[in-house]
Amino acid sequence: MKRKRVLVTGGAGFIGSHLCERLLEKGNDVVCMDNLFTGQKDNIRHLMDNPYFEFIRHDILEDVYVECDEIYNLACPASPIHYQYDPIKTGKTSVIGALHTLGLAKRCHARILQASTSEVYGNPQVHPQPESYCGSVNPIGVRSCYDEGKRMAETLFFDYHRQHGVDIKVIRIFNTYGPRMRSDDGRVVSNFIVQALKGDDITIYGDGKQTRSFCYVDDLIDGMIRMMESREGFTGPVNLGNPVECTMLSLAETVIRLTGSMSKIVHFPLPQDDPVQRKPVIDLAQKELDWEPVTALNDGLQKTINYFRSALF
Ligand code: NAD
Ligand code: UDP
């Protein structure tokens, strides 16, 4: 069997490093491309000795020339503090990154998957969110660089598909967590676990009644690969996420219980445009990909807590 050569942009990040690992296990030749803005060499150090793994330090804003059969486009900072650090660059990364990877897919006749996001639904007025919902996004707020950048990337994917016949796959990822999240990236799962393990206050923004639906990273990777391998002509967009919804207050209480921490809950102001609720409809993923998450929140959190415990201490 010929090994497929697979390019993963953003491959040294949290999700990307798990994806590279799984693709190697499945017998692919993997090229990981990353500018290491939020990604880290430590995430892929264990893959470096594998002869079928290559790391290229490269910014996706520069054109990309890598012969490949498949492309997973993940390059883009994902946590609010990182994507708001240089919002102009975040927008460029989504839009120019999409143009460069789509151009490459066109030249190589490669199949290409875009890691889009539930943020395309903005602060959703329809709950839960099916793929047919067009979203409610503020185009001028602090989250817009990310939300609108990802929306424009989806537009480019569908225009390359219609205009040039590029074989595209678009997934909308809902909040994903697991080992290799950065302890300093400000996302809620890593913040709460690190705070609980250190005995610091648990910082809830707003009243904590806002909801998210958290998917364990192994489940997400399974869905991503199923989408890449899905039938010809199925473009998505398809939601990938865990439909079990929880409030930030209940997440904090669960983390405190699982860590046995003495930390107290404190409240801070809610950031601008913070979505009130979020939960995926995953009927399409179930039907087309025969996929649904299998990891319960308690189990996934326990694995993530174990990771942070050994990473921190
Ligand atoms: P991450 O920040 O860990 O990974 C992003 C990777 O992209 C990093 O390794 C970073 O260094 C790299 N990168 C950023 N800008 C780049 C550039 N200009 N050129 C090359 N590389 C660049 O975040 P993640 O959580 O692993 O997210 C991966 C992808 O999944 C992102 O596209 C994100 O938008 C999407 N996503 C993630 C979630 C989630 O819950 N984690 C939810 C929705 C969508
Ligand atoms: N959040 C919180 N405390 C934190 C970090 C985040 O209460 O220390 C909240 C945040 O306001 C949001 C939710 O948790 O309502 C999820 O935030 P995250 O940044 O993880 O993801 P996103 O908002 O992009 O879904």
mmCIF file of all heavy atoms in Angstrom, residues 83-99:
data_model
loop_
_atom_site.group_PDB
_atom_site.id
_atom_site.type_symbol
_atom_site.label_atom_id
_atom_site.label_comp_id
_atom_site.label_asym_id
_atom_site.label_seq_id
_atom_site.Cartn_x
_atom_site.Cartn_y
_atom_site.Cartn_z
ATOM 1 N N TYR A 83 -5.762 34.727 19.903
ATOM 2 C CA TYR A 83 -6.180 35.291 18.614
ATOM 3 C C TYR A 83 -6.443 36.793 18.708
ATOM 4 O O TYR A 83 -6.423 37.490 17.711
ATOM 5 C CB TYR A 83 -7.322 34.504 17.953
ATOM 6 C CG TYR A 83 -8.715 34.536 18.565
ATOM 7 C CD1 TYR A 83 -9.470 35.705 18.627
ATOM 8 C CD2 TYR A 83 -9.309 33.360 19.021
ATOM 9 C CE1 TYR A 83 -10.751 35.712 19.152
ATOM 10 C CE2 TYR A 83 -10.597 33.358 19.549
ATOM 11 C CZ TYR A 83 -11.313 34.535 19.614
ATOM 12 O OH TYR A 83 -12.583 34.550 20.135
ATOM 13 N N GLN A 84 -6.646 37.297 19.938
ATOM 14 C CA GLN A 84 -6.837 38.748 20.086
ATOM 15 C C GLN A 84 -5.514 39.480 20.325
ATOM 16 O O GLN A 84 -5.468 40.702 20.371
ATOM 17 C CB GLN A 84 -7.811 39.037 21.234
ATOM 18 C CG GLN A 84 -9.231 38.638 20.879
ATOM 19 C CD GLN A 84 -10.195 38.644 22.042
ATOM 20 O OE1 GLN A 84 -10.013 39.362 23.025
ATOM 21 N NE2 GLN A 84 -11.243 37.844 21.941
ATOM 22 N N TYR A 85 -4.402 38.746 20.469
ATOM 23 C CA TYR A 85 -3.090 39.347 20.713
ATOM 24 C C TYR A 85 -2.649 40.188 19.506
ATOM 25 O O TYR A 85 -2.155 41.301 19.632
ATOM 26 C CB TYR A 85 -2.089 38.225 21.010
ATOM 27 C CG TYR A 85 -0.652 38.656 21.024
ATOM 28 C CD1 TYR A 85 -0.140 39.346 22.117
ATOM 29 C CD2 TYR A 85 0.190 38.366 19.955
ATOM 30 C CE1 TYR A 85 1.182 39.750 22.133
ATOM 31 C CE2 TYR A 85 1.511 38.758 19.966
ATOM 32 C CZ TYR A 85 2.001 39.448 21.053
ATOM 33 O OH TYR A 85 3.312 39.848 21.059
ATOM 34 N N ASP A 86 -2.858 39.647 18.293
ATOM 35 C CA ASP A 86 -2.534 40.371 17.053
ATOM 36 C C ASP A 86 -3.686 40.097 16.085
ATOM 37 O O ASP A 86 -3.583 39.251 15.195
ATOM 38 C CB ASP A 86 -1.198 39.861 16.494
ATOM 39 C CG ASP A 86 -0.739 40.643 15.272
ATOM 40 O OD1 ASP A 86 -1.544 41.433 14.732
ATOM 41 O OD2 ASP A 86 0.418 40.454 14.847
ATOM 42 N N PRO A 87 -4.818 40.808 16.301
ATOM 43 C CA PRO A 87 -6.039 40.454 15.556
ATOM 44 C C PRO A 87 -5.888 40.583 14.047
ATOM 45 O O PRO A 87 -6.511 39.815 13.297
ATOM 46 C CB PRO A 87 -7.093 41.426 16.101
ATOM 47 C CG PRO A 87 -6.363 42.455 16.883
ATOM 48 C CD PRO A 87 -5.040 41.898 17.275
ATOM 49 N N ILE A 88 -5.064 41.517 13.596
ATOM 50 C CA ILE A 88 -4.909 41.675 12.136
ATOM 51 C C ILE A 88 -4.239 40.420 11.573
ATOM 52 O O ILE A 88 -4.654 39.864 10.555
ATOM 53 C CB ILE A 88 -4.107 42.955 11.814
ATOM 54 C CG1 ILE A 88 -4.919 44.167 12.291
ATOM 55 C CG2 ILE A 88 -3.785 43.048 10.331
ATOM 56 C CD1 ILE A 88 -4.198 45.493 12.217
ATOM 57 N N LYS A 89 -3.220 39.962 12.282
ATOM 58 C CA LYS A 89 -2.551 38.737 11.811
ATOM 59 C C LYS A 89 -3.487 37.524 11.889
ATOM 60 O O LYS A 89 -3.425 36.631 11.031
ATOM 61 C CB LYS A 89 -1.270 38.478 12.611
ATOM 62 C CG LYS A 89 -0.645 37.153 12.279
ATOM 63 C CD LYS A 89 0.822 37.154 12.082
ATOM 64 C CE LYS A 89 1.241 35.762 11.606
ATOM 65 N NZ LYS A 89 2.617 35.609 11.315
ATOM 66 N N THR A 90 -4.366 37.487 12.895
ATOM 67 C CA THR A 90 -5.310 36.361 12.995
ATOM 68 C C THR A 90 -6.201 36.314 11.755
ATOM 69 O O THR A 90 -6.402 35.255 11.151
ATOM 70 C CB THR A 90 -6.168 36.488 14.269
ATOM 71 O OG1 THR A 90 -5.298 36.455 15.387
ATOM 72 C CG2 THR A 90 -7.188 35.367 14.383
ATOM 73 N N GLY A 91 -6.728 37.478 11.374
ATOM 74 C CA GLY A 91 -7.578 37.531 10.176
ATOM 75 C C GLY A 91 -6.806 37.094 8.946
ATOM 76 O O GLY A 91 -7.302 36.302 8.132
ATOM 77 N N LYS A 92 -5.564 37.586 8.843
ATOM 78 C CA LYS A 92 -4.741 37.208 7.674
ATOM 79 C C LYS A 92 -4.473 35.712 7.663
ATOM 80 O O LYS A 92 -4.486 35.068 6.615
ATOM 81 C CB LYS A 92 -3.382 37.928 7.744
ATOM 82 C CG LYS A 92 -3.390 39.360 7.316
ATOM 83 C CD LYS A 92 -1.928 39.804 7.340
ATOM 84 C CE LYS A 92 -1.718 41.212 6.926
ATOM 85 N NZ LYS A 92 -0.328 41.645 7.172
ATOM 86 N N THR A 93 -4.202 35.162 8.835
ATOM 87 C CA THR A 93 -3.867 33.733 8.902
ATOM 88 C C THR A 93 -5.026 32.891 8.381
ATOM 89 O O THR A 93 -4.815 31.944 7.603
ATOM 90 C CB THR A 93 -3.502 33.338 10.349
ATOM 91 O OG1 THR A 93 -2.341 34.071 10.724
ATOM 92 C CG2 THR A 93 -3.227 31.853 10.477
ATOM 93 N N SER A 94 -6.248 33.240 8.771
ATOM 94 C CA SER A 94 -7.399 32.471 8.292
ATOM 95 C C SER A 94 -7.588 32.640 6.787
ATOM 96 O O SER A 94 -7.766 31.656 6.066
ATOM 97 C CB SER A 94 -8.680 32.919 9.000
ATOM 98 O OG SER A 94 -8.791 32.262 10.219
ATOM 99 N N VAL A 95 -7.536 33.897 6.325
ATOM 100 C CA VAL A 95 -7.907 34.165 4.934
ATOM 101 C C VAL A 95 -6.753 33.809 3.984
ATOM 102 O O VAL A 95 -6.939 33.032 3.025
ATOM 103 C CB VAL A 95 -8.329 35.646 4.778
ATOM 104 C CG1 VAL A 95 -8.605 35.960 3.318
ATOM 105 C CG2 VAL A 95 -9.553 35.924 5.637
ATOM 106 N N ILE A 96 -5.565 34.338 4.257
ATOM 107 C CA ILE A 96 -4.434 34.057 3.355
ATOM 108 C C ILE A 96 -4.007 32.596 3.498
ATOM 109 O O ILE A 96 -3.650 31.946 2.515
ATOM 110 C CB ILE A 96 -3.267 35.035 3.633
ATOM 111 C CG1 ILE A 96 -3.757 36.461 3.365
ATOM 112 C CG2 ILE A 96 -2.041 34.707 2.776
ATOM 113 C CD1 ILE A 96 -2.785 37.565 3.710
ATOM 114 N N GLY A 97 -4.104 32.080 4.725
ATOM 115 C CA GLY A 97 -3.795 30.653 4.940
ATOM 116 C C GLY A 97 -4.721 29.770 4.116
ATOM 117 O O GLY A 97 -4.290 28.772 3.523
ATOM 118 N N ALA A 98 -5.996 30.137 4.057
ATOM 119 C CA ALA A 98 -6.947 29.359 3.238
ATOM 120 C C ALA A 98 -6.571 29.469 1.762
ATOM 121 O O ALA A 98 -6.543 28.464 1.037
ATOM 122 C CB ALA A 98 -8.374 29.852 3.479
ATOM 123 N N LEU A 99 -6.246 30.686 1.319
ATOM 124 C CA LEU A 99 -5.887 30.857 -0.097
ATOM 125 C C LEU A 99 -4.652 30.031 -0.455
ATOM 126 O O LEU A 99 -4.605 29.375 -1.501
ATOM 127 C CB LEU A 99 -5.619 32.347 -0.396
ATOM 128 C CG LEU A 99 -6.867 33.227 -0.464
ATOM 129 C CD1 LEU A 99 -6.484 34.711 -0.443
ATOM 130 C CD2 LEU A 99 -7.673 32.905 -1.730
#
